[in-house]
Amino acid sequence: MGICGAKGGSKADSETNRNINRALMDDRKRLDNEVKLLLLGAGESGKSTISKQMKIIHLKGFNDEERSSYKSIIFNNTVGSMRVLVTAAQELGIELSDSNKTAADRMSNSEEYFSGEITQDIAQDITSLWADPGIKECFSRSAEFQLNDSAAYYFESVDRFIDPNYTPSEQDVLRSRAKTTGIIETDFECEGTSFRMVDVGGQRSERKKWMHCFQDVTAVIFCVALSEYDLKLYEDDTTNRMHESLKLFKEICNNKWFVDTAMILFLNKKDLFESKIAKVDLNVCFPTYTGGKNYEAASNYIREQFVAQNENPKKHIYPHITCATDTGNIQHVFDAVKDIILHQALDDAGLGI
């Protein structure tokens, strides 16, 4: 009986092993046929927004339940941004209208304003403060402190937020800001090819996790916010964000893991950059720049600075100017990126034309 039991167990074990090996082979085959895109860049560069766009473009977007899950983030982004402006006004010595001082005090001190809801009273305070000349002056000096890029967009949307039937739009979701911690993967198919986009946090505390994602990468998409040239890091209020991005790109571009990896450069937030460059000269970041407050000259100069970080003459950098919140723009750019990646994959396989 014992011997029969042993034989039966052996047969079952063999079947289990065969199933495991078959599953491992299937996984290996899937990975071999999968395009892995690694999204890298400093914090606030728009990586997570690009990842959301892939869901909108290739995965039928966000359903009502998924969009509703962003409500508390959107509401806290809105209230938090106004609190930042009120605090900055105090620190910069900018006076607010007497009629708004009570609202400013509530915005600064009431924890009820961060309950994940926007009530009629909160919306009224935000609307009144946003119309205040002092807050507008403070907003114009936002390079001197840390303010969410979408602050103005959300302030002008508070009337929608108090509707009991409010469900965030795709644009509301795209503009929402929550610090990325850990690793977020988005899997999708495009014209018969499987893609896996891996988004990792860009702030300094998150970068130690990047190394875990470096294997089997088909292409790196490195995001830079064009509009960050006069801003400081969230995590270090002395380091210029553009300088940090340049340093980081140099490290990634010349990393031993990415010698043969396609390097895509997304020069992002072109809409904010176009507005800012008309007022703030790029030479505040690059003293050698002499092109003036000109969008084309300034964006070309930034592109050249990043491409020049590449130390491998055989390696190509593929720069694209993008607006991560513009779905049409990202779809157009991704089509071009997809062609670059697939051509390189054919070349690597010795099948290039």
Side-chain angles (χ1 to χ4, degrees):
M1 293 292 288
I3 294 172
C4 288
K7 284 183 179 177
S10 177
K11 187 175 181 181
D13 288 346
S14 295
E15 183 62 28
T16 299
N17 286 336
R18 275 197 297 273
N19 288 337
I20 290 171
N21 287 334
R22 193 178 300 119
L24 288 170
M25 286 176 68
D26 288 344
D27 284 346
R28 183 70 255 174
K29 194 181 208 179
R30 176 179 57 77
L31 286 170
D32 286 343
N33 294 324
E34 181 180 76
V35 172
K36 181 178 175 182
L37 305 176
L38 184 57
L39 273 174
L40 297 179
E44 312 300 316
S45 58
K47 299 185 304 300
S48 296
T49 310
I50 298 290
S51 188
K52 290 175 189 172
Q53 287 286 20
M54 294 303 103
K55 182 174 175 62
I56 291 171
I57 295 167
H58 298 293
L59 295 171
K60 299 182 179 177
F62 295 85
N63 61 36
D64 285 351
E65 185 179 350
E66 288 169 327
R67 284 187 281 132
S68 291
S69 71
Y70 280 88
K71 282 170 71 172
S72 62
I73 295 172
I74 291 166
F75 294 162
N76 285 337
N77 282 174
T78 307
V79 175
S81 294
M82 186 54 76
R83 177 175 283 189
V84 165
L85 284 172
V86 168
T87 302
Q90 293 169 348
E91 292 175 352
L92 295 171
I94 298 172
E95 281 290 317
L96 304 187
S97 304
D98 288 341
S99 59
N100 279 325
K101 287 183 177 175
T102 304
D105 184 61
R106 285 193 294 266
M107 191 63 61
S108 293
N109 301 308
S110 176
E111 290 309 313
E112 292 178 12
Y113 277 42
F114 283 88
S115 64
E117 295 290 334
I118 289 186
T119 63
Q120 183 78 46
D121 289 343
I122 295 172
Q124 183 57 54
D125 279 353
I126 289 170
T127 300
S128 297
L129 286 164
W130 183 229
D132 192 290
I135 289 293
K136 281 297 201 314
E137 180 187 347
C138 191
F139 181 78
S140 73
R141 295 174 61 179
S142 60
E144 298 175 45
F145 50 91
Q146 306 290 349
L147 182 67
N148 191 321
D149 287 335
S150 297
Y153 173 86
Y154 284 145
F155 297 156
E156 289 161 10
S157 301
V158 289
D159 288 344
R160 290 192 294 116
F161 297 165
I162 57 175
D163 184 331
N165 299 315
Y166 167 69
T167 299
S169 66
E170 283 187 342
Q171 193 61 211
D172 294 342
V173 170
L174 286 170
R175 290 176 178 271
S176 67
R177 176 72 187 112
K179 179 182 173 183
T180 301
T181 56
I183 299 165
I184 299 171
E185 297 187 352
T186 305
D187 295 318
F188 58 93
E189 280 208 5
C190 180
E191 297 180 7
T193 302
S194 296
F195 287 83
R196 171 168 296 186
M197 182 169 278
V198 182
D199 175 22
V200 290
Q203 293 186 356
R204 286 175 175 174
S205 60
E206 294 296 312
R207 293 178 200 166
K208 58 183 178 293
K209 301 171 186 173
W210 287 10
M211 185 67 76
H212 302 297
C213 307
F214 282 5
Q215 282 188 306
D216 301 318
V217 172
T218 313
V220 171
I221 297 178
F222 191 95
C223 295
V224 180
L226 283 169
S227 56
E228 69 187 0
Y229 66 92
D230 66 336
L231 303 179
K232 301 291 191 294
L233 294 179
Y234 266 96
E235 59 267 47
D236 170 5
D237 214 25
T238 60
T239 302
N240 178 280
R241 290 194 195 178
M242 185 69 76
H243 293 167
E244 176 84 353
S245 288
L246 269 169
K247 178 184 172 185
L248 191 56
F249 183 70
K250 183 173 184 176
E251 292 173 7
I252 294 299
C253 183
N254 301 300
N255 190 290
K256 63 180 181 180
W257 286 94
F258 302 134
V259 171
D260 299 314
T261 304
M263 193 66 55
I264 317 292
L265 179 64
F266 277 10
L267 298 169
N268 194 32
K269 303 191 181 183
K270 68 174 185 177
D271 53 333
L272 300 176
F273 178 70
E274 191 165 12
S275 174
K276 181 179 284 188
I277 197 64
K279 306 167 194 167
V280 183
D281 199 302
L282 186 62
N283 63 18
V284 300
C285 177
F286 298 109
T288 56
Y289 170 74
T290 57
K293 298 175 184 177
N294 179 279
Y295 171 81
E296 292 293 337
S299 56
N300 286 339
Y301 187 88
I302 293 172
R303 186 189 71 238
E304 289 165 5
Q305 298 308 300
F306 277 88
V307 171
Q309 304 307 308
N310 176 25
E311 296 171 355
N312 181 355
K314 294 181 179 179
K315 189 180 188 72
H316 292 289
I317 310 298
Y318 302 95
H320 297 270
I321 292 180
T322 60
C323 176
T325 56
D326 182 340
T327 302
N329 171 255
I330 295 304
Q331 182 158 16
H332 174 74
V333 170
F334 186 76
D335 285 344
V337 166
K338 178 195 66 189
D339 290 342
I340 290 166
I341 292 166
L342 295 180
H343 275 113
Q344 177 150 327
L346 286 171
D347 287 342
D348 291 345
L351 300 173
I353 298 171

